[in-house]
Amino acid sequence: MKVGVLTVLPKTLLSLKKTLDRYVKKARTQNENRTEIKLERVGYFNRRQIFSHEHETLLADYLKRASDIYYGLTPKELRKFAFQYASSNKFEVPANWTKNKMAGEDWAAAYIKRNNSLSLRCPQATSLSRATSFNKTNVNMFFSNLKTVYNRLHLEPSDIWNVDETGITTVQKPDRIIARRGFKQIGKLTSAERGTLVTLTVAVSASGNSIPPFFIFPRVNFRDHFIRDGPVGSLGDANPSGWMKEEHFIKFIKHFIHHARCSKERPVLLLLDNHESHLSVPALDICKENGVTVLSFPPHCSHKLQPLDRSVYGPLKKIL
């Protein structure tokens, strides 16, 4: 074995010497009038790099900040966000990124490996009481940001809007009725025993104005007759789960801008929670282009700070 190693080693050194001689000869040809030869780049390098070092650093800072406030991104969410980040900056991306609407698994693994400050961790489930989000510090910070935006944009009550979603079932719980004493089971006719959950999205201003509601139905395809008897101007969409997703919120934002009639000359403030569907890059870009300033509530505080939760959806569900 030792003889074999000693035989291969001189051949490797000879090949290395030939490679270096070739680089030096090329450099001398290109720098005939220079006394000092500098090789700017030698060897192999990645010609398919999507983000620059500065952009990758900004992305790493965002990931760490999201993790610090209990909203860390999963590897799949990182891949989706990387594609949106590249698309918004008009970077050239591989064809499979465009096809899948997200970065590849190999890119995500290599990115985490390149950044020593990042690691893939299993988060610990944190309850609301442990997170202690609803505290004086977070609430003061929110109202401080609200005051800053209010003074900067010189807003009127009609320019401050709150948007939120809630689930409405198609079969409501019956009210109590008067019946014969002694019977343990009393029935009342309904359209079905178990209802279907429909997501209702509403935006209301501080002056009391509102825009037509936006419905999301648990169906594969949306049909116009779903909202035939709804309020005038209502809009709808559908997906199998019936929950709000990024593409639906983008459609709602366009619906909101149309009815609120906002622009860069007439800016408005939109208060919302930190749901992942609200914070997509395309939705935020549309808001920025149309004069909509977005301010989110602190995490896990919407049950106390969300105006729609406190004054609209609660009474609505009691009536239903």
Side-chain angles (χ1 to χ4, degrees), residues 69-94:
I69 60 176
Y70 302 97
Y71 279 91
L73 275 67
T74 63
K76 186 175 182 179
E77 291 172 341
L78 168 61
R79 292 163 56 196
K80 293 175 63 177
F81 184 79
F83 172 73
Q84 295 176 355
Y85 188 32
S87 300
S88 62
N89 287 279
K90 298 182 179 179
F91 292 152
E92 184 179 356
V93 298

Side-chain angles (χ1 to χ4, degrees), residues 130-144:
R130 291 189 61 185
T132 61
S133 294
F134 188 72
N135 54 48
K136 186 176 181 179
T137 301
N138 285 343
V139 173
N140 286 342
M141 184 179 298
F142 168 74
F143 280 102
S144 176

Side-chain angles (χ1 to χ4, degrees), residues 224-245:
D224 291 337
H225 66 265
F226 290 175
I227 55 174
R228 180 184 56 196
D229 298 326
V232 178
S234 298
L235 200 63
D237 210 338
N239 67 62
S241 66
W243 299 339
M244 175 68 78
K245 294 184 177 180

Side-chain angles (χ1 to χ4, degrees), residues 163-169 196-203 211-218 227 230-231 234-237 242-244 252 255 278 308-309 312-313 316-317 320:
V163 60
D164 193 28
E165 307 95 7
T166 188
I168 302 294
T169 180
T196 302
L197 196 68
V198 177
T199 299
L200 170 68
T201 307
V202 175
I211 68 170
F214 185 88
F215 299 93
I216 302 177
F217 296 89
I227 55 174
S234 298
L235 200 63
D237 210 338
W243 299 339
M244 175 68 78
F252 170 78
H255 175 67
H278 299 165
L308 281 170
D309 276 348
V312 177
Y313 289 152
L316 170 65
K317 292 187 177 182
L320 295 177

Side-chain angles (χ1 to χ4, degrees), residues 43-112:
Y44 299 101
F45 60 94
N46 187 4
R47 298 178 181 271
R48 296 285 294 169
Q49 185 172 353
I50 307 297
F51 301 106
S52 64
H53 177 72
E54 292 76 13
H55 286 95
E56 288 198 348
T57 301
L58 291 174
L59 181 58
D61 293 340
Y62 176 83
L63 294 173
K64 289 183 284 187
R65 176 57 179 165
S67 176
D68 292 340
I69 60 176
Y70 302 97
Y71 279 91
L73 275 67
T74 63
K76 186 175 182 179
E77 291 172 341
L78 168 61
R79 292 163 56 196
K80 293 175 63 177
F81 184 79
F83 172 73
Q84 295 176 355
Y85 188 32
S87 300
S88 62
N89 287 279
K90 298 182 179 179
F91 292 152
E92 184 179 356
V93 298
N96 64 324
W97 284 34
T98 305
K99 179 181 178 181
N100 301 325
K101 302 298 181 182
M102 65 175 67
E105 294 182 3
D106 53 346
W107 176 88
Y111 173 74
I112 295 176

Side-chain angles (χ1 to χ4, degrees), residues 158-159 161 211 253-268 290-292:
S158 58
D159 299 326
W161 294 81
I211 68 170
I253 281 294
K254 296 178 180 178
H255 175 67
F256 169 79
I257 292 171
H258 172 72
H259 288 280
R261 298 182 180 180
C262 52
S263 63
K264 291 185 177 181
E265 293 74 25
R266 185 180 178 275
V268 299
N290 292 275
V292 180

